[in-house]
Amino acid sequence: MNSEEKKEINNDSSDEILTIPNILSFFRILLITPFMILFLNGQYVWAAVMIIISGLTDCVDGFVARHFNQVSNFGKILDPVADKLTLLAVGIGICILTPEVITVMVILIIKDLLMLIGGIALIKNDIQPPQARWYGKVGTILFYISVCTIVVLKVFGIEVPYLSVILLSITVATMIFALVKYFLLFLDLITNGSNQKKGE
């Protein structure tokens, strides 16, 4: 168990709510409504702008939280909730426009549900859920890249044989890899958290 994972058990994060990272996470949630309105009305460029802004704030809030000591218990819950709600909104819109991404969305929903169940189990054992790891972020980035590329090709009527299949396959593989890594992390945290309680 490395030092980063030990900190997940012996967490000393702040209980503050109105931090800059949390405000940015709230902002990401608010962006979902204009995104859906724009997307469903065929204004794909402006809808994409909403998602780009959302993605940028996602990167910024993590940087601020880590480098300016603004990590909070509330933020550890709010940040992934904002991510999942945004991904769900994007996925619904994309599935309406491009049905071939439904498989990826199903896998994404299953992955997020399993992670949510795992997070609840950690909380019940008085263990703080882990912050997002690099493999989770990579999966999210690939999801955005894949669906945005597919939508652009669809909107402009550009035919690139097998590109959609390749992009979606890579995205699915990355999501499965992230799920396995998070599962191993979950087991490690649960096991070491239980051992720590026995030691007390």
Side-chain angles (χ1 to χ4, degrees):
M1 186 178 193
N2 58 39
S3 59
E4 183 181 7
E5 290 167 356
K6 288 179 181 177
K7 289 179 182 178
E8 305 295 353
I9 297 175
N10 299 311
N11 182 59
D12 60 353
S13 299
S14 167
D15 289 322
E16 292 183 43
I17 293 178
L18 291 179
T19 63
I20 293 176
N22 291 347
I23 291 172
L24 290 173
S25 293
F26 277 122
F27 180 63
R28 292 213 311 280
I29 294 174
L30 292 176
L31 284 175
I32 293 173
T33 298
F35 162 76
M36 289 301 295
I37 292 173
L38 291 166
F39 192 92
L40 294 177
N41 281 281
Q43 300 183 44
Y44 303 117
V45 174
W46 286 109
V49 169
M50 297 296 105
I51 293 302
I52 291 172
I53 294 173
S54 178
L56 289 174
T57 58
D58 189 17
C59 294
V60 171
D61 72 14
F63 175 83
V64 172
R66 289 188 297 271
H67 292 273
F68 293 93
N69 195 30
Q70 293 194 11
V71 175
S72 66
N73 293 325
F74 182 70
K76 287 184 178 182
I77 298 173
L78 182 63
D79 180 62
V81 166
D83 286 343
K84 288 170 175 53
L85 289 176
T86 301
L87 285 173
L88 181 61
V90 172
I92 291 173
I94 298 301
C95 288
I96 292 173
L97 180 66
T98 315
E100 57 259 40
V101 304
I102 291 177
T103 300
V104 177
M105 274 306 302
V106 170
I107 293 174
L108 176 64
I109 291 172
I110 292 173
K111 166 181 159 295
D112 285 345
L113 282 175
L114 290 175
M115 289 181 64
L116 179 61
I117 293 171
I120 292 172
L122 290 176
I123 292 172
K124 285 186 175 181
N125 283 273
D126 297 321
I127 302 172
Q128 286 295 326
Q131 296 183 35
R133 299 294 194 251
W134 66 267
Y135 36 83
K137 291 293 185 182
V138 169
T140 300
I141 292 171
L142 282 177
F143 174 82
Y144 280 122
I145 292 175
S146 297
V147 296
C148 287
T149 300
I150 292 170
V151 168
V152 168
L153 295 177
K154 185 89 171 182
V155 170
F156 291 97
I158 302 173
E159 293 289 338
V160 181
Y162 304 112
L163 180 60
S164 295
V165 174
I166 293 172
L167 288 174
L168 295 177
S169 297
I170 293 173
T171 303
V172 169
T174 305
M175 287 181 178
I176 293 174
F177 172 76
L179 180 59
V180 171
K181 293 288 287 183
Y182 275 122
F183 176 70
L184 294 175
L185 176 58
F186 164 80
L187 288 181
D188 198 17
L189 291 172
I190 285 289
T191 301
N192 285 280
S194 299
N195 292 337
Q196 186 181 64
K197 287 180 181 179
K198 289 178 182 178
E200 294 173 352

